[in-house]
PDB file of all heavy atoms in Angstrom:
ATOM      1  N   ILE O  93     -11.519   6.740  -7.372  1.00 97.00           N
ATOM      2  CA  ILE O  93     -11.578   8.197  -7.228  1.00 97.00           C
ATOM      3  C   ILE O  93     -12.567   8.784  -8.232  1.00 97.00           C
ATOM      4  O   ILE O  93     -13.336   9.688  -7.908  1.00 97.00           O
ATOM      5  CB  ILE O  93     -10.176   8.818  -7.364  1.00 97.00           C
ATOM      6  CG1 ILE O  93      -9.326   8.412  -6.158  1.00 97.00           C
ATOM      7  CG2 ILE O  93     -10.247  10.328  -7.482  1.00 97.00           C
ATOM      8  CD1 ILE O  93      -7.858   8.767  -6.272  1.00 97.00           C
ATOM      9  N   GLY O  94     -12.570   8.255  -9.438  1.00 97.00           N
ATOM     10  CA  GLY O  94     -13.558   8.694 -10.428  1.00 97.00           C
ATOM     11  C   GLY O  94     -14.985   8.411  -9.978  1.00 97.00           C
ATOM     12  O   GLY O  94     -15.884   9.236 -10.160  1.00 97.00           O
ATOM     13  N   ALA O  95     -15.193   7.251  -9.362  1.00 97.00           N
ATOM     14  CA  ALA O  95     -16.523   6.918  -8.849  1.00 97.00           C
ATOM     15  C   ALA O  95     -16.896   7.821  -7.679  1.00 97.00           C
ATOM     16  O   ALA O  95     -18.064   8.200  -7.530  1.00 97.00           O
ATOM     17  CB  ALA O  95     -16.572   5.448  -8.426  1.00 97.00           C
ATOM     18  N   TYR O  96     -15.916   8.202  -6.838  1.00 97.00           N
ATOM     19  CA  TYR O  96     -16.187   9.126  -5.729  1.00 97.00           C
ATOM     20  C   TYR O  96     -16.624  10.481  -6.260  1.00 97.00           C
ATOM     21  O   TYR O  96     -17.592  11.073  -5.767  1.00 97.00           O
ATOM     22  CB  TYR O  96     -14.947   9.341  -4.857  1.00 97.00           C
ATOM     23  CG  TYR O  96     -14.394   8.139  -4.162  1.00 97.00           C
ATOM     24  CD1 TYR O  96     -13.089   8.126  -3.700  1.00 97.00           C
ATOM     25  CD2 TYR O  96     -15.154   6.995  -3.961  1.00 97.00           C
ATOM     26  CE1 TYR O  96     -12.551   7.034  -3.057  1.00 97.00           C
ATOM     27  CE2 TYR O  96     -14.621   5.889  -3.327  1.00 97.00           C
ATOM     28  CZ  TYR O  96     -13.322   5.917  -2.876  1.00 97.00           C
ATOM     29  OH  TYR O  96     -12.798   4.830  -2.242  1.00 97.00           O
ATOM     30  N   VAL O  97     -15.905  10.976  -7.260  1.00 97.00           N
ATOM     31  CA  VAL O  97     -16.248  12.280  -7.838  1.00 97.00           C
ATOM     32  C   VAL O  97     -17.646  12.238  -8.435  1.00 97.00           C
ATOM     33  O   VAL O  97     -18.456  13.147  -8.212  1.00 97.00           O
ATOM     34  CB  VAL O  97     -15.188  12.691  -8.891  1.00 97.00           C
ATOM     35  CG1 VAL O  97     -15.639  13.898  -9.694  1.00 97.00           C
ATOM     36  CG2 VAL O  97     -13.849  12.958  -8.222  1.00 97.00           C
ATOM     37  N   PHE O  98     -17.949  11.175  -9.169  1.00 97.00           N
ATOM     38  CA  PHE O  98     -19.294  11.045  -9.752  1.00 97.00           C
ATOM     39  C   PHE O  98     -20.356  10.994  -8.656  1.00 97.00           C
ATOM     40  O   PHE O  98     -21.394  11.645  -8.763  1.00 97.00           O
ATOM     41  CB  PHE O  98     -19.365   9.785 -10.630  1.00 97.00           C
ATOM     42  CG  PHE O  98     -20.694   9.616 -11.304  1.00 97.00           C
ATOM     43  CD1 PHE O  98     -21.019  10.351 -12.429  1.00 97.00           C
ATOM     44  CD2 PHE O  98     -21.625   8.712 -10.814  1.00 97.00           C
ATOM     45  CE1 PHE O  98     -22.251  10.204 -13.049  1.00 97.00           C
ATOM     46  CE2 PHE O  98     -22.861   8.548 -11.427  1.00 97.00           C
ATOM     47  CZ  PHE O  98     -23.180   9.298 -12.540  1.00 97.00           C
ATOM     48  N   TYR O  99     -20.092  10.233  -7.600  1.00 96.00           N
ATOM     49  CA  TYR O  99     -21.043  10.117  -6.487  1.00 96.00           C
ATOM     50  C   TYR O  99     -21.321  11.486  -5.872  1.00 96.00           C
ATOM     51  O   TYR O  99     -22.476  11.860  -5.651  1.00 96.00           O
ATOM     52  CB  TYR O  99     -20.499   9.145  -5.435  1.00 96.00           C
ATOM     53  CG  TYR O  99     -21.341   9.057  -4.190  1.00 96.00           C
ATOM     54  CD1 TYR O  99     -22.520   8.319  -4.183  1.00 96.00           C
ATOM     55  CD2 TYR O  99     -20.979   9.728  -3.037  1.00 96.00           C
ATOM     56  CE1 TYR O  99     -23.302   8.246  -3.048  1.00 96.00           C
ATOM     57  CE2 TYR O  99     -21.764   9.664  -1.899  1.00 96.00           C
ATOM     58  CZ  TYR O  99     -22.918   8.923  -1.905  1.00 96.00           C
ATOM     59  OH  TYR O  99     -23.698   8.866  -0.786  1.00 96.00           O
ATOM     60  N   PHE O 100     -20.261  12.239  -5.596  1.00 95.00           N
ATOM     61  CA  PHE O 100     -20.453  13.549  -4.975  1.00 95.00           C
ATOM     62  C   PHE O 100     -21.105  14.549  -5.927  1.00 95.00           C
ATOM     63  O   PHE O 100     -21.916  15.379  -5.502  1.00 95.00           O
ATOM     64  CB  PHE O 100     -19.144  14.096  -4.425  1.00 95.00           C
ATOM     65  CG  PHE O 100     -18.714  13.417  -3.161  1.00 95.00           C
ATOM     66  CD1 PHE O 100     -17.502  12.765  -3.088  1.00 95.00           C
ATOM     67  CD2 PHE O 100     -19.537  13.407  -2.045  1.00 95.00           C
ATOM     68  CE1 PHE O 100     -17.111  12.117  -1.922  1.00 95.00           C
ATOM     69  CE2 PHE O 100     -19.159  12.764  -0.873  1.00 95.00           C
ATOM     70  CZ  PHE O 100     -17.944  12.132  -0.816  1.00 95.00           C
ATOM     71  N   LEU O 101     -20.784  14.478  -7.217  1.00 95.00           N
ATOM     72  CA  LEU O 101     -21.431  15.375  -8.182  1.00 95.00           C
ATOM     73  C   LEU O 101     -22.926  15.095  -8.294  1.00 95.00           C
ATOM     74  O   LEU O 101     -23.745  16.017  -8.303  1.00 95.00           O
ATOM     75  CB  LEU O 101     -20.770  15.250  -9.554  1.00 95.00           C
ATOM     76  CG  LEU O 101     -19.398  15.889  -9.707  1.00 95.00           C
ATOM     77  CD1 LEU O 101     -18.824  15.580 -11.090  1.00 95.00           C
ATOM     78  CD2 LEU O 101     -19.467  17.381  -9.480  1.00 95.00           C
ATOM     79  N   VAL O 102     -23.284  13.817  -8.371  1.00 94.00           N
ATOM     80  CA  VAL O 102     -24.698  13.466  -8.500  1.00 94.00           C
ATOM     81  C   VAL O 102     -25.453  13.831  -7.220  1.00 94.00           C
ATOM     82  O   VAL O 102     -26.552  14.378  -7.272  1.00 94.00           O
ATOM     83  CB  VAL O 102     -24.865  11.966  -8.842  1.00 94.00           C
ATOM     84  CG1 VAL O 102     -26.298  11.517  -8.696  1.00 94.00           C
ATOM     85  CG2 VAL O 102     -24.387  11.708 -10.252  1.00 94.00           C
ATOM     86  N   ASN O 103     -24.851  13.553  -6.059  1.00 90.00           N
ATOM     87  CA  ASN O 103     -25.522  13.900  -4.809  1.00 90.00           C
ATOM     88  C   ASN O 103     -25.622  15.402  -4.598  1.00 90.00           C
ATOM     89  O   ASN O 103     -26.564  15.875  -3.968  1.00 90.00           O
ATOM     90  CB  ASN O 103     -24.829  13.248  -3.616  1.00 90.00           C
ATOM     91  CG  ASN O 103     -25.260  11.823  -3.432  1.00 90.00           C
ATOM     92  OD1 ASN O 103     -26.334  11.436  -3.864  1.00 90.00           O
ATOM     93  ND2 ASN O 103     -24.426  11.035  -2.799  1.00 90.00           N
ATOM     94  N   SER O 104     -24.673  16.159  -5.126  1.00 91.00           N
ATOM     95  CA  SER O 104     -24.751  17.611  -4.974  1.00 91.00           C
ATOM     96  C   SER O 104     -25.820  18.226  -5.882  1.00 91.00           C
ATOM     97  O   SER O 104     -26.213  19.373  -5.671  1.00 91.00           O
ATOM     98  CB  SER O 104     -23.394  18.248  -5.241  1.00 91.00           C
ATOM     99  OG  SER O 104     -23.011  18.051  -6.576  1.00 91.00           O
ATOM    100  N   LEU O 105     -26.295  17.467  -6.856  1.00 89.00           N
ATOM    101  CA  LEU O 105     -27.390  17.966  -7.685  1.00 89.00           C
ATOM    102  C   LEU O 105     -28.654  18.214  -6.865  1.00 89.00           C
ATOM    103  O   LEU O 105     -29.479  19.047  -7.224  1.00 89.00           O
ATOM    104  CB  LEU O 105     -27.699  16.983  -8.823  1.00 89.00           C
ATOM    105  CG  LEU O 105     -26.731  16.952  -9.984  1.00 89.00           C
ATOM    106  CD1 LEU O 105     -27.133  15.876 -10.979  1.00 89.00           C
ATOM    107  CD2 LEU O 105     -26.665  18.295 -10.666  1.00 89.00           C
TER     108      LEU O 105
END
Side-chain angles (χ1 to χ4, degrees):
I93 292 171
Y96 298 160
V97 169
F98 182 78
Y99 174 78
F100 285 121
L101 286 175
V102 168
N103 278 336
S104 65
L105 285 177

